[in-house]
Amino acid sequence: MKKISILLLSFYSLSAMAQEKYEAFQYQDKFGVVEINTLNEFIDPSYSERNSYFDPITLINGIEYTFINRVSGNAETYITTNQELRFKGNYYKHFYKDDKSVFIPRDTKIKISFNKKYREAIGNGSDLILKHDGLFEVFAKPNFKTPKVKDIKAKKVYQDFVFRKRTQKAEYLTIFYGNDAIYVYDKNYKLLKEYPSDTDYESRMFEAISGEFTKVEKEEYPPAMALMPEYFIVDNKDGYTIFTSNEFQKPFQIKGNYRNHIIYGKTDWIIITNKETDKRYSFRIDFEKKRFLLPKKYQEILELKFVE
């Protein structure tokens, strides 16, 4: 049964890739989109950044994110808030569209939209806390249309396990503070206690509620260090840089002297920088068909080709 599941997943992944008609590329630091079948330029390289997290092609200029469907080529543009969070059991990025908040997951299929432009968004894995005009609202899973709690006047939010003396155990609490009062809610957003205090310091907030609640101290662990993998062997010959994929063993060359970088986990993508001009180029490679998913006109300029 496990083998059948793996085969089915592989089949669906290959089918999805076969349906893709467009892919991103980078030429002289700027990003554009190429039509895969013809290798014609679909969108000229005019974007400053690319985000590889989302499933659609995602190109960026300043605070504008443009999502381009890999099959239809249709594009939608949103304004980023640079807020990333997890709620409803999924990861989302917070955007604005037509002066309203939109939360977009990795596959961009099921977006969660609101009729307000929220300035702050906090997720705790399941629920969502939003701030508008100085007031917090709480949307609890599974209802993200009607707030479970609203009009909480506060500046800051603390969410974590807190030791509760009444029950003699650590409980997951949400604490709003930093205005006229401190509001302590349980995991179901039932108000447990209200304290008169205008402090916006976390330490003083815990001092104010210490008669019933105390902070649970956590151990700090150093971050784990990992070596970056090497996906390509690099060589130089007769004015060309030759790259050989460790996985596919199909070398290709480009005129000039280049250094390479990697996208972790993407062995069919390469990022290269010309050492003389410091210009950067990146593109996907179809090693099976020996094709670079880079517009033909740029391949000719760069003298990019596979070698035997």
Side-chain angles (χ1 to χ4, degrees):
M1 186 66 183
K2 188 176 181 181
K3 288 183 179 179
I4 293 172
S5 299
I6 292 170
L7 285 170
L8 283 172
L9 284 170
S10 299
F11 173 76
Y12 287 130
S13 297
L14 288 170
S15 297
M17 288 179 65
Q19 292 174 4
E20 291 180 1
K21 296 180 181 178
Y22 303 96
E23 184 55 274
F25 70 89
Q26 184 181 25
Y27 183 78
Q28 293 188 345
D29 298 334
K30 296 290 188 177
F31 290 91
V33 176
V34 63
E35 190 176 359
I36 293 174
N37 289 336
T38 64
L39 294 181
N40 289 331
E41 189 175 79
F42 180 66
I43 296 176
D44 68 285
S46 54
Y47 290 84
S48 59
E49 297 178 71
R50 168 178 170 261
N51 184 305
S52 59
Y53 172 75
F54 293 99
D55 289 349
I57 298 166
T58 308
L59 303 182
I60 305 166
N61 266 334
I63 59 173
E64 289 189 349
Y65 274 56
T66 298
F67 297 102
I68 299 142
N69 188 290
R70 292 180 179 275
V71 178
S72 68
N74 292 336
E76 284 188 306
T77 299
Y78 296 82
I79 303 300
T80 184
T81 66
N82 292 317
Q83 294 175 353
E84 299 175 6
L85 57 156
R86 186 173 183 268
F87 67 96
K88 203 182 178 183
N90 202 356
Y91 289 94
Y92 294 84
K93 194 170 177 70
H94 182 197
F95 293 93
Y96 294 142
K97 180 81 170 178
D98 300 326
D99 272 340
K100 297 175 183 178
S101 283
V102 183
F103 294 87
I104 302 179
R106 181 173 188 168
D107 62 12
T108 72
K109 291 179 181 177
I110 302 177
K111 304 177 183 71
I112 297 178
S113 302
F114 292 88
N115 290 323
K116 295 179 183 177
K117 186 177 182 180
Y118 290 103
R119 297 296 180 184
E120 188 175 343
I122 303 166
N124 68 356
S126 59
D127 308 319
L128 178 63
I129 299 173
L130 300 172
K131 190 176 186 181
H132 177 73
D133 285 345
L135 301 174
F136 283 102
E137 300 177 344
V138 177
F139 293 83
K141 188 180 179 180
N143 185 357
F144 291 93
K145 292 185 178 180
T146 305
K148 187 167 186 177
V149 184
K150 62 180 181 178
D151 298 336
I152 304 170
K153 193 176 182 181
K155 293 179 182 176
K156 296 183 179 180
V157 181
Y158 181 91
Q159 285 189 302
D160 210 331
F161 283 93
V162 176
F163 185 79
R164 188 179 180 190
K165 295 179 181 178
R166 181 176 177 179
T167 61
Q168 286 296 295
K169 64 180 182 180
E171 300 180 15
Y172 191 86
L173 304 179
T174 301
I175 305 171
F176 296 90
Y177 65 102
N179 215 303
D180 298 328
I182 300 169
Y183 305 96
V184 182
Y185 288 84
D186 69 7
K187 65 180 181 180
N188 297 313
Y189 295 99
K190 176 184 176 182
L191 182 62
L192 299 178
K193 202 87 172 179
E194 179 180 337
Y195 298 86
S197 173
D198 62 357
T199 183
D200 55 5
Y201 292 98
E202 184 181 300
S203 59
R204 292 180 182 175
M205 178 271 289
F206 272 106
E207 286 176 9
I209 67 175
S210 61
E212 178 62 24
F213 307 97
T214 56
K215 186 176 182 179
V216 176
E217 299 296 338
K218 296 180 180 179
E219 290 187 43
E220 296 288 338
Y221 295 97
M225 301 297 290
L227 293 174
M228 293 298 288
E230 290 287 343
Y231 294 152
F232 294 91
I233 297 170
V234 185
D235 195 11
N236 295 93
K237 185 179 178 181
D238 300 330
Y240 289 84
T241 303
I242 302 169
F243 297 95
T244 304
S245 164
N246 288 330
E247 180 177 345
F248 301 99
Q249 292 297 311
K250 294 180 180 179
F252 62 92
Q253 68 180 25
I254 182 170
K255 189 172 180 61
N257 192 5
Y258 288 80
R259 61 179 177 270
N260 76 304
H261 322 269
I262 67 164
I263 302 175
Y264 190 82
K266 297 284 188 181
T267 57
D268 61 345
W269 266 89
I270 192 166
I271 304 171
I272 55 177
T273 302
N274 187 302
K275 291 183 179 181
E276 294 179 0
T277 65
D278 208 34
K279 294 293 185 181
R280 182 170 287 196
Y281 307 80
S282 64
F283 44 88
R284 197 170 112 200
I285 307 167
D286 185 342
F287 282 100
E288 184 180 346
K289 297 179 180 178
K290 289 190 173 182
R291 298 176 80 237
F292 305 103
L293 303 192
L294 179 72
K296 288 181 291 185
K297 63 180 183 180
Y298 299 133
Q299 292 187 40
E300 292 170 1
I301 293 170
L302 297 171
E303 296 187 37
L304 177 68
K305 65 180 180 178
F306 280 94
V307 294
E308 298 301 328

